């Protein structure tokens, strides 16, 4: 019976040893997991960022499908995305940065690369692409200096792409009386003129004569009709006002001609010391 008891004792010892080994392994695993969970928030707090959420396979699939559709789009559509990016940011981008920002891989598409490089709205310095406006102005002071260089006027259409706040700055300059914003009746576009008292405008004599020979309509209805023909909206509506007056029974005032006052001998003369003014007096009727 002694050998059997010895075997049972050795078996119990082996079980106890295995149990202690498993307990130590479990304790080490728990401590390492706790340390890892503590280290992630600490590093994220140090960087000021929260731990990134795990990317779901479905979301990544949609993103990859979008990238694939962008890169398979026509050359014109890809150029539009790049030009829109450069126009909105007004920053210079490398091909790699453009790829990250709008998914257009310029390096992998020679047609898009060459089209952008030769586009008049794009500036390429050999490394980066940037937007090129017609007039290189960046703020309201440079805009004011530019407009003063065009006393004959500069089209607002040519200024719109200068920088993002250019339209607001034009209104500021107009409110301050620095410039004039006038509409062109032919193209229906606004023209910016410098309001400079020193600027001298030369007007041809033929144009002056033509202006003086223009006879304005005597009736307000005709004036309103001419304004509408030239694309302007009259501030009054005389036809409607007259129709309402007739409905209400208000008689219209007849046009009265002003009586021309003539000087006669019976007129009291206050400038008797200037006899040459009264050489053509009409004799008074008795």
């Amino acid at each position: 019976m002694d050998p059997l008891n010895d075997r049972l004792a050795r078996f119990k010892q082996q079980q106890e040893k295995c149990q202690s080994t498993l307990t130590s392994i479990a304790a080490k695993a728990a401590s390492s997991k706790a340390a890892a969970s503590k280290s992630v928030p600490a590093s994220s707090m140090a960087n000021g960022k929260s731990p990134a959420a795990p990317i779901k396979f479905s979301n990544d699939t949609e993103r990859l499908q979008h990238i694939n559709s962008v890169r398979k789009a026509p050359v014109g559509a890809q150029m539009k995305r790049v030009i829109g990016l450069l126009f909105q940011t007004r920053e210079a981008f490398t091909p790699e940065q453009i790829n990250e920002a709008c998914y257009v891989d310029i390096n992998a598409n020679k047609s898009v690369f060459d089209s952008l490089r030769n586009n008049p709205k794009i500036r390429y310095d050999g490394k980066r692409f940037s937007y090129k406006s017609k007039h290189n102005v960046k703020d309201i002071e440079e805009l004011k200096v530019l407009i003063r260089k065009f006393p004959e006027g500069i089209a607002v259409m040519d200024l719109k792409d200068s920088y993002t706040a250019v339209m607001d700055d034009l209104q500021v300059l107009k409110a301050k009386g620095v410039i004039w914003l006038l509409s062109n009746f032919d193209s229906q576009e606004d023209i910016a003129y410098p309001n400079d008292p020193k600027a001298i405008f030369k007007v041809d004599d033929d144009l002056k004569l033509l202006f003086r020979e223009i006879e304005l309509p005597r009736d307000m209805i005709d004036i309103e009709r001419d304004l509408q023909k030239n694309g302007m909206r009259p501030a009054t509506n005389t036809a409607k006002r007259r129709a309402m007056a007739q409905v209400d029974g208000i008689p219209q005032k007849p046009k009265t001609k002003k009586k021309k006052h003539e000087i006669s001998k019976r007129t009291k003369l206050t400038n008797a010391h200037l006899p040459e003014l009264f050489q053509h007096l009409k004799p008074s009727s008795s």
Side-chain angles (χ1 to χ4, degrees):
M1 296 294 294
D2 291 335
L4 182 58
N5 290 331
D6 292 339
R7 290 180 180 178
L8 288 173
R10 285 198 298 270
F11 179 73
K12 289 180 180 180
Q13 290 177 357
Q14 289 177 355
Q15 280 188 334
E16 292 174 357
K17 189 177 181 180
C18 290
Q19 187 65 32
S20 62
T21 303
L22 291 174
T23 303
S24 63
I25 293 172
K28 288 180 180 180
S31 62
S32 63
K33 185 176 181 181
S37 62
K38 290 181 180 179
S39 63
V40 171
S43 62
S44 63
M45 289 178 64
N47 296 329
K49 297 180 180 180
S50 59
I55 299 176
K56 294 182 179 181
F57 179 76
S58 59
N59 293 341
D60 194 54
T61 302
E62 292 177 1
R63 185 179 67 87
L64 293 175
Q65 288 177 347
H66 176 64
I67 294 173
N68 186 47
S69 63
V70 169
R71 293 178 179 174
K72 285 187 175 180
V75 174
Q78 296 189 49
M79 285 183 60
K80 185 178 180 181
R81 289 180 65 88
V82 177
I83 294 175
L85 171 68
L86 300 178
F87 175 78
Q88 292 175 1
T89 60
R90 299 305 174 98
E91 297 178 0
F93 286 80
T94 63
E96 292 76 16
Q97 291 171 336
I98 291 175
N99 188 12
E100 293 176 1
C102 63
Y103 306 129
V104 177
D105 192 359
I106 299 176
N107 290 329
N109 195 327
K110 189 176 183 299
S111 298
V112 177
F113 186 94
D114 293 339
S115 298
L116 286 173
R117 187 178 57 183
N118 298 324
N119 193 289
K121 289 292 183 181
I122 301 298
R123 181 184 292 106
Y124 179 62
D125 60 2
K127 292 182 179 180
R128 292 178 175 83
F129 292 89
S130 59
Y131 188 82
K132 182 172 65 175
S133 57
K134 185 170 184 178
H135 299 283
N136 187 22
V137 292
K138 300 179 179 62
D139 53 38
I140 190 171
E141 292 300 324
E142 294 183 0
L143 177 64
K144 182 167 59 176
V145 172
L146 175 67
I147 296 176
R148 284 178 176 173
K149 293 179 180 178
F150 291 86
E152 72 281 2
I154 181 172
V156 174
M157 184 66 66
D158 295 337
L159 299 172
K160 281 185 176 180
D161 64 344
S162 298
Y163 57 96
T164 53
V166 65
M167 299 304 294
D168 296 334
D169 288 346
L170 284 172
Q171 295 300 326
V172 171
L173 294 176
K174 177 184 176 182
K176 290 182 177 180
V178 178
I179 65 170
W180 297 99
L181 287 179
L182 304 177
S183 297
N184 187 344
F185 294 138
D186 296 332
S187 58
Q188 298 297 324
E189 292 180 359
D190 289 339
I191 308 295
Y193 296 90
N195 185 13
D196 188 2
K198 297 179 182 179
I200 300 175
F201 297 93
K202 224 174 170 186
V203 182
D204 294 337
D205 294 335
D206 294 339
L207 185 60
K208 293 179 183 179
L209 182 62
L210 181 63
F211 177 78
R212 289 165 183 164
E213 288 179 351
I214 295 176
E215 185 178 354
L216 294 178
R218 296 183 179 274
D219 194 343
M220 194 63 187
I221 294 180
D222 296 332
I223 295 176
E224 293 171 354
R225 189 180 295 114
D226 289 343
L227 290 173
Q228 292 174 350
K229 286 180 181 179
N230 288 277
M232 290 181 288
R233 184 178 179 181
T236 58
N237 191 337
T238 305
K240 183 178 179 181
R241 179 172 56 81
R242 290 179 181 175
M244 292 176 65
Q246 290 179 359
V247 171
D248 295 337
I250 302 175
Q252 294 185 10
K253 294 181 180 179
K255 296 181 181 179
T256 57
K257 294 184 179 180
K258 291 184 179 181
K259 186 177 180 181
K260 187 176 180 181
H261 296 282
E262 295 180 350
I263 299 175
S264 65
K265 289 184 178 179
R266 297 182 63 182
T267 306
K268 185 178 180 180
L269 303 180
T270 58
N271 292 328
H273 60 286
L274 298 174
E276 64 272 9
L277 296 178
F278 312 105
Q279 293 177 359
H280 304 288
L281 292 178
K282 291 184 179 180
S284 60
S285 59
S286 55

